[in-house]
Amino acid sequence: MSDTSSTNNKTEHRDSALVRFLRATEVDTRMLGMVGALVLIWVGFHYYGQIFNGFGAFLTPRNLWNLSVQTSSIAVMATGMVLVIVTRHIDLSAGSLLGVTAMIMGVVQVWVLPQYLGLEHPMIWVITVIVGILFGAMIGAFHGFLIAYLGIPAFIVTLGGLLIWRGSAWWVARGETIAPVDSTFALIGGGPYGTIGATGSWIVGILGCIGIVALLISGRRQRIRFQFPLRPIWAEWLIGVVGSGLVIGTVLVMNAYPWPKGIIKRYAAANNLEIPEGGIFISHGFAIPVLIAIAVGIFMTFLTTRTRFGRYVFAIGGNPEAAELAGINTKRMTMLIFALMGALVGISAVIASARLNSATNALGQLDELYVIAAAVIGGTSFAGGIGTIYGAMLGALVMQSLQSGMVLVGFDSAVQQIVVGCVLVLAVWLDTLYRKRSV
Amino acid sequence: MTSTYASANSDKPLVTMRDISIAFGGIKAVDHASVDLYPGEVVGLLGHNGAGKSTLIKILSGAYLRDTGEIHVSGELAQIANPRDAKTYGIETIYQTLALADNLDAAANLFLGRELRTRWGTLDDSAMESEARKVMGRLNPRFEKFKDPVKALSGGQRQSVAIARAILFNARILIMDEPTAALGPEETAQVADLILQLKKDGIGIFLISHDIEDVFELADRVTVMKNGRIVGTAKTADVSKDEVLGMIIAGKCPKGATAGPGAVEI
Ligand SMILES: Nc1ncnc2c1ncn2[C@@H]1O[C@H](COP(=O)(O)OP(=O)(O)O)[C@@H](O)[C@H]1O
Ligand SMILES: [Mg+2]
C-alpha cells in the first residue's frame, strides 16, 4: 500500500495488473472473495432452478427482498459476535437469549401494558423495545461478569446460558404462544406495511451515495493534511461510482417488488382509494428490519474502527497481556462487550418476534450457530484480534442466501443442514489458506 | 521533560522499593528485595535467568501486585496496583516480551491506552501516525512500515516500537527489560545513545540485561539478584567485572559493594 522501501519498488514492476489494481484501490481481497462467493451462490441457485425446476426464482425482486428481511436478525447479532470472537470468547447463548427476550417482550406488550395504557397505545411498542434491549443487555452483562470477574470460560457460561434461557423462555408463559403483538411493533418485522416505499427508499439510497462520497473526500483530505500516500484519482472515482452504483441498484431491486394484489385491495378499501384498471404498483422498498440492520452495521463499524472501545477490543484480541499492561481494564471491557452482544440480541429479538407477529418459546433456536458461522465466514478469526463488521454482515447474507436458495430449489432440510455445515468448514479452511499466504 | 525537577532533587531518590516480596504458588520469585534509583541515573539489574529481575520490575510497573513491601516515588509512598497507576507516576516500561498487540500497527501500539482523539472523541489515527513517524524516526530512521500490523515487522523493528512507546510520554522513570535482546549491533548502539540522552534529561533508568559489558558501559550502579534475593549493589566504578560475575554466579559480595540478603556468608 504505502510502502516506499526499495525492495517493494522492485517487486512492483513484476506485479500483475490485478495486484496493482488492488493496491491502488486498497480493496480488501477477502471481501472481493466473499462478494464473488455471493454472486456465485445467487447465480448458481437461479440457474439451478431454471434448469431443473423450469424457473429461476432466486434473482427476482421478490426473493431478494425476502432475503434482505430474513438476513437482518442474524446480521445484527453477527456484528456483536465479531467483538466476542475477536476477544477470544464465544457466545453460544444468543439464540436462547433471543427466545426469552422475545417472550418477555410478548408478555409486556400483550399482557401487561394494555392493562395500564389500553390496547394499541402508541407508547406500547416503544416501552416494549426498550425493555427488550435492556433485558438483553443486562443478561449479556451478567454473562460478561461471570466470564471476566469470576474467570469462568465463556464457552461454559454461555453453554449454560443456552440451556437456562431456552428453559426460561418456556417458563415465562408456560410454553404459551403470545400473539398477536402490538400492530406498530409488528411493523419492525417488515411485511408489506413495514416498509418505507419507493420514495423513502430513494431518499435512503441518495443519502447512502452522499455518505460514500463524503467519506472518500474526507479520507483524502485527511491524508493530504498529514502528507500520507494518496490513492490515485481514478481509484477514488472508481470506488465512488461502484459504491453508489451498488446502493442505487439495491434501491431499484427493493422498489421493483410490488405489494401483492390482496394487500393493495385491503389497503385501498381501508383508505377509500379507487384502484385503476391495470391495478396499481405500490413498491415495498426497504423493509424496516433491513434499515435497522444497516444502521446497526454503521454504528458497529464506527464503534470498532473509530473509537477507543473498538481499538481496545482488537488490542485485547491480539494480545490480552499487552492490553492489560497498556492500562486497559480488560475485565470491564469483557463485561461491556457481552452487554453489547446482549443488547444486539435484544434488537434481533424485536425483529424476529415482530416478523412472526408473535412470541414463541422456540424463537431463535439454532440462531447462535448461524450467527457464529456468519462471523467466521466473514473473516473473524478464532485466534483473536481479527474480524470486521461488514465481513460478518456479508457472512450473514451468504449463510441466508444458501439457506433460502436451497429452500427455493426444493432441497429438503436434511440436505440443507449438511450443505451449511460443509460450507462453514470449507470457508474456514479457505480463510486459513488465505491468511497463511498473506502474512 | 522533567529535567529541572530531577536535577534539583538529585540527592533524593526517584524510586525506592523497600522489602518487596512476591510468591507464585510456592516459588518466592522476589524475596525481600530493596532497590533504589536516582534521577539521571542508570541502575543495571543483573542475575541469571529466573533470578527474579523481570518480576521485581513488573511490581514497579504495576503488572504484578506485591505481597509485601513499599514503593516510594520522589519520596512519597506510591499506590501502584495496576499499570495505569504506574503510568500516572511517570513510570514507563519496555517489557522483555515487548507486550505489543501483534494485530495492530505501530501507531496503534505506541498510543495503546492513551489514544489521541479528535474533538469529537473519535480516534485520531492520522495524528497518531504522524507522531509515530516522528518518534520512530529518532530511533530507527529507516522504519517505513506504518500501515502493517506489527507481526509483519522484524524482531528489531518490533523492539524499536516497544522502546518508542516508552519514551513517547515523557517518562521520569524508565524500565528497560532486555531492551536490546533482538537488536543488531548498529541498533544496539542507537539504544545506548538514547539511554545516555535520556539520562541527561534527568530520567532514571532501570536497565536489565544479560550482557554484563553493556551494563558496565551504561550503568552508574549495578544490583545483582540471585534466587529472588538481592546479592548486593555497587557503583560500577568500585567493582570489577569479575567481581560482579562472582556476585551473579556464586552470590559472593565483594568489598566495593553493599551486601543484600542474598549474599552468601563467608
Ligand atoms: N506469572 C508467573 N507465574 C508463576 N511463576 C512466575 C511468574 N513470573 C515469574 N515466575 C517465576 O519467578 C521466577 C523469576 O522469574 P523472572 O522474574 O522472569 O526472572 P528473570 O527475569 O530474572 O529471568 C522464576 O522462577 C519464574 O519461573
Ligand atoms: Mg526476565
Side-chain angles (χ1 to χ4, degrees), chain A residues 32 383 388 402 430:
Chain A
L32 277 189
T388 58
L402 266 180
L430 285 177

Side-chain angles (χ1 to χ4, degrees), chain B residues 24 27 29 48-56 64 96 177:
Chain B
F24 297 107
I27 303 168
H48 276 313
N49 256 341
K53 309 180 297 288
S54 293
T55 308
L56 178 65
Y64 292 149
Q96 190 169 8
D177 194 351

